Amino acid sequence: MCRAIDLQQAVLAKNDGCAQRLRADLAVRGTTVVNLLSSPGSGKTALLEAELALARERAVPVAALTADLATENDALRLARSGAPVKQVLTDGLCHLEARMLGGHLDGWLPDGTRLLFVENVGNLVCPASYDLGETLRVVLASVTEGEDKPLKYPTAFGLAHLVIVTKTDIADAVGFDEAAFRANVQQVNPGVEVVLTAARTGSGVGALLDRALAAAGGAPVHAPVMASQPLPGHHHGDDEAAQPHEHGDPHEHGDPLGSLAPAAGRPQPAGGPRS
C-alpha cells in the first residue's frame, strides 16, 4: 500500500514547530524577533544600521543577526553601531530556518536583549515561507524596484506585518508612484501599514524601531489574511542556475504565480508594470 506524502508541507510544518518553540523560549528571555525580508540591493542593511544606532541612542538593548551567501561585509557595517552583531554565512542556502536561527543564537545572544533584528538572505521567494519565531515580519522594497513588486512576490508581501519603502529620498528622480505601490500592497495584504523611509537622510527611521518596541510591549500586530490560509510554497523561477541554492529541503521550482491564482483571478498592478 502506497501513501502520498507532501514533503514540502512536511518541511514547513517541521519548521513551524521549531519556530513556535523558539518564539516561546525567546519570550521567556524577554527578546522579540524582527525578521527583515527584501530582495538584494533594497537598502536593508543601511536601514538596519540606522535602526541599531538609534536603538543604542535610546538605550534599547538590541542585537542583530545578518545572513548572506558569502562575506562578512554586512556584519562589519552593523557592528559599527556598537550593538552585538553576528554574521551567518549560508554557503549558498537561500533562506534561514528556525532551527538554524536557534542554533546560531545559542551561547551568543546576550541576556537582556530586548529586540533581535534578523536580516534574512536577500531573496523574496524562499525566506517568505519560513517562520523564524518572529513577532514582527517586515518586508522592504526600494523605490527603484517597481510599484508592482508586491504582486510579483505575493507570499512575501502577503505575510508581512509591516511594509517599508526605502530610498524615498530618490523617489522623484526614479519616478516612483507611491499611490500605485500602496494600492498593490493592499491587493495582497489588506490593512497592512506602509512606512516610507530614507536611511541616508534619517527620514522615517524611527518608525520601525517604534513598531518593534510596541510589538515587544505586547501591542497587537497586523494579522495578514494570507496567514490564515495554507502557504503556496516557495519557488525560484524557471532558471534555477540564475539563483543558486543548496539545501536538502524538497521544494518546488516553476512559475512563481502558477499555483497561487488562476490567470483570470490574479491581481492586476496599479500604475502598470515597470520591470
Side-chain angles (χ1 to χ4, degrees), residues 20-164:
Q20 291 174 9
R21 292 191 292 274
L22 180 59
R23 186 181 290 108
D25 290 344
L26 289 171
V28 171
R29 300 178 59 170
T31 302
T32 295
V33 174
V34 180
N35 185 9
L36 304 177
L37 281 69
S38 80
S39 56
S42 67
K44 186 163 69 264
T45 305
L47 181 63
L48 185 51
E49 277 186 289
E51 299 295 342
L52 294 179
L54 182 60
R56 298 279 291 178
E57 289 177 13
R58 296 185 184 179
V60 177
V62 292
L65 183 147
T66 180
D68 270 316
L69 303 184
T71 87
E72 297 187 347
N73 293 349
D74 288 352
L76 294 174
R77 289 174 57 182
L78 297 175
R80 292 198 294 258
S81 68
V85 175
K86 185 169 188 176
Q87 179 80 53
V88 175
L89 298 180
T90 65
D91 291 328
L93 183 64
C94 54
H95 62 275
L96 290 174
E97 299 178 14
R99 61 178 174 79
M100 297 166 56
L101 179 61
H104 285 289
L105 297 182
D106 189 25
W108 169 74
L109 187 67
D111 291 338
T113 300
R114 182 66 167 151
L115 296 175
L116 171 65
F117 288 95
V118 176
E119 183 182 8
N120 218 313
V121 178
N123 176 354
L124 280 175
V125 185
C126 303
S129 298
Y130 288 85
D131 183 356
L132 298 183
E134 70 265 22
T135 296
L136 200 63
R137 175 178 292 207
V138 183
V139 176
L140 293 77
S142 71
V143 297
T144 61
E145 296 179 61
E147 294 83 2
D148 57 347
K149 199 112 189 189
L151 305 185
K152 292 180 175 179
Y153 299 91
T155 304
F157 284 88
L159 290 173
H161 301 122
L162 179 68
V163 174
I164 288 182

